[in-house]
Amino acid sequence: CRLVGSEMCIRDSFHGDVLPMLPEELSQDTCALSEGADRPALVCRIAVADSGEVGDYEFMEATIRSRAKLSYYAVDRYLTGQHDELMAHATPLEALYQLYRALRAHREENHLVMEERKEFRWVLNDSRQIDHIEPFEKLLSQRLVEECMIATNRCAARFLVENGATGPYVVHAGFRADRLDEAHRFLEMHAPDTAALTPTEVEGYRDILRSLAKADHGLPLRGMVNRLLTRAQLSTEPGPHMGMALHHYSNCTSPLRKYVDFLVHLQIKALLHGETANRVDQPTLDRISERLATARAATLEAERWLAGKYLARLAVEPGHTFSARVSHVNSSGFNVRLEDYGLEGFVDLRQDPEKFSYDKWTASLTSTTRRFQLEQLVELTFAGVDAANQYQAAFELVKGCGIKPPR
């Protein structure tokens, strides 16, 4: 199969508000994939086996002409058999669908795939406040594009490694180096069949995470082990991406929206022109990481502020409670995610009349009469926001919630 990854005009957004990285003249015109117009592109041609294994690949500079502007919704309706308005494009769409199925199946069998969870969409009103929140599922067309992008990103990382480029690579070490002993003890306690595996190797880490994700352990082991894991980092040195169980990974498919992807394009183009790919150094990547962390913190605070105002509006109704699931437990209390809205908050048990004992090995808090554990369903009332902690939503337990069953 041939897979074309072009310099698509994709921009970042905050719940509907577009935040372009580049001037609109570039992102909306010069680099936009306008129907029937020639556009310069960086193309990756990939050979994909029937089994879904990514084989040989080739990067090249080319000119691409988009024959039709297809929306995610239109393609999804066609792929799910709901509409035949795109019948004129049936051949390439059917080929892409079969490609997606092969790539996805291969990743599920040989690597790690992010766990699916229920997603929600915010609908803002004219005052830019949350009008309502509705659940949604990722479209099949979006999954198709995502799988093709992952394959392209893998090839970009391989290309940089094989040519001695200075990155940027996305590296994920898996378990934190300072928590390896604790991780080994955790596995011995809860999944002894995995204790002999090597967590610092891609295959060992993959098999450990797969085993923990099984539903027959009696405990949510996959979620419990998250506290022992590290975050992905940008690096000039190639390394494994444990979270995906890949030996190398990078990002190159959104150069107009993400600066790291843009840097990967510069490196690839340098190699295509016979130059040394040394346009990236670690101090640059460290500064990018700092700015990304600052942007994430600002986005989180803005989202929490909006969510707090929305929750306060809902809580005006007498007796209004929220059903939530425990998403993280520590010695002070636990984080929750609301079942009907996807919003997150914290239940502080430090001021509770009962004294709770925290057990990190079972991710639980236990008192004389009550017990709370990871992924447990709880019933809550909204108690306001913590302005000093980036407007984190605060919740209180409904009376009788978490009562331990009689012996």
Side-chain angles (χ1 to χ4, degrees):
C1 294
R2 293 186 178 183
L3 209 147
V4 178
S6 65
E7 296 185 351
M8 298 178 64
C9 175
I10 308 175
R11 298 176 293 172
D12 215 346
S13 63
F14 178 81
H15 300 287
D17 289 334
V18 177
L19 307 172
M21 184 180 84
L22 297 177
E24 290 197 9
E25 185 177 349
L26 291 177
S27 59
Q28 297 265 0
D29 184 21
T30 306
C31 300
L33 285 179
S34 301
E35 183 176 343
D38 290 346
R39 291 288 186 264
L42 182 63
V43 175
C44 183
R45 181 169 60 190
I46 306 174
V48 180
D50 291 340
S51 64
E53 182 177 3
V54 176
D56 294 336
Y57 67 92
E58 180 184 6
F59 280 96
M60 66 192 80
E61 292 179 294
T63 299
I64 160 180
R65 177 179 295 177
S66 179
R67 298 192 178 276
K69 186 175 182 179
L70 308 183
S71 71
Y72 279 113
Y73 294 101
V75 174
D76 185 80
R77 288 196 301 271
Y78 172 79
L79 293 177
T80 54
Q82 300 178 43
H83 212 283
D84 60 358
E85 62 181 284
L86 300 182
M87 190 58 68
H89 308 287
T91 300
L93 287 178
E94 292 294 341
L96 277 173
Y97 177 60
Q98 296 304 321
L99 174 66
Y100 154 74
R101 293 183 59 186
L103 288 171
R104 179 74 179 193
H106 188 272
R107 276 212 308 135
E108 290 178 346
E109 181 178 353
N110 298 277
H111 305 288
L112 285 175
V113 178
M114 184 179 294
E115 296 174 321
E116 297 286 349
R117 73 172 187 174
K118 190 175 181 180
E119 299 293 340
F120 295 86
R121 179 187 292 112
W122 291 10
V123 179
L124 306 184
N125 56 28
D126 293 339
S127 301
R128 314 311 295 163
Q129 301 294 310
I130 301 176
D131 181 78
H132 63 279
I133 297 176
E134 57 189 24
F136 80 95
E137 292 185 6
K138 188 179 292 184
L139 300 175
L140 179 57
S141 55
Q142 292 173 319
R143 297 176 186 273
L144 183 154
V145 171
E146 180 182 72
E147 210 61 48
C148 294
M149 291 170 69
I150 291 173
T152 307
N153 288 334
R154 291 173 60 186
C155 292
R158 286 170 55 187
F159 188 65
L160 296 178
V161 171
E162 291 167 2
N163 289 278
T166 59
Y169 303 102
V170 181
V171 177
H172 179 244
F175 289 102
R176 289 170 50 180
D178 61 338
R179 293 289 189 91
L180 285 175
D181 290 340
E182 189 176 344
H184 184 68
R185 184 180 174 189
F186 177 90
L187 296 176
E188 285 183 328
M189 291 177 61
H190 297 298
D193 57 319
T194 67
L197 299 173
T198 306
T200 54
E201 295 179 355
V202 171
E203 289 74 16
Y205 181 87
R206 176 198 63 195
D207 293 343
I208 289 172
L209 268 289
R210 283 182 175 178
S211 177
L212 296 182
K214 293 179 180 177
D216 56 357
H217 290 292
L219 289 172
L221 299 186
R222 176 60 188 86
M224 291 166 62
V225 82
N226 282 341
R227 65 184 180 85
L228 304 177
L229 304 182
T230 186
R231 292 179 176 272
Q233 296 179 325
L234 298 175
S235 175
T236 57
E237 295 293 329
H241 192 298
M242 294 294 197
M244 301 178 72
L246 296 171
H247 290 280
H248 304 108
Y249 197 67
S250 189
N251 286 307
C252 72
T253 52
S254 301
L256 302 185
R257 184 167 64 89
K258 298 179 180 179
Y259 188 60
V260 172
D261 299 47
F262 177 73
L263 291 178
V264 174
H265 274 235
L266 293 183
Q267 295 281 70
I268 292 175
K269 290 180 180 179
L271 292 170
L272 293 179
H273 287 270
E275 302 170 5
T276 303
N278 58 0
R279 288 160 169 74
V280 178
D281 55 38
Q282 194 59 48
T284 297
L285 296 183
D286 291 342
R287 288 195 297 272
I288 293 173
S289 297
E290 290 175 4
R291 294 195 175 191
L292 288 173
T294 300
R296 281 194 294 266
T299 300
L300 175 64
E301 184 166 349
E303 288 182 334
R304 284 179 170 179
W305 180 77
L306 285 174
K309 294 173 74 67
Y310 179 66
L311 289 169
R313 212 166 69 234
L314 294 177
V316 169
E317 180 185 342
H320 190 98
T321 63
F322 299 90
S323 179
R325 195 171 295 275
V326 177
S327 58
H328 178 72
V329 181
N330 61 35
S331 58
S332 301
F334 52 86
N335 295 80
V336 293
R337 188 171 193 256
L338 302 187
E339 290 283 278
D340 295 330
Y341 306 100
L343 303 178
E344 299 179 343
F346 186 70
V347 177
D348 192 340
L349 295 178
R350 288 173 294 184
Q351 304 303 319
D352 194 277
E354 288 191 294
K355 181 177 177 57
F356 283 84
S357 175
Y358 170 60
D359 184 355
K360 67 180 181 180
W361 300 112
T362 59
S364 64
L365 285 161
T366 307
S367 71
T368 304
T369 63
R370 291 176 290 169
R371 177 181 172 84
F372 300 99
Q373 189 171 20
L374 193 68
E375 295 193 9
Q376 179 179 337
L377 277 172
V378 291
E379 201 70 19
L380 311 168
T381 58
F382 179 61
V385 297
D386 183 358
N389 186 22
Q390 295 183 298
Y391 294 94
Q392 183 181 54
F395 293 95
E396 294 178 349
L397 294 163
V398 170
K399 185 177 180 180
C401 181
I403 296 294
K404 292 190 291 187
R407 293 183 180 180

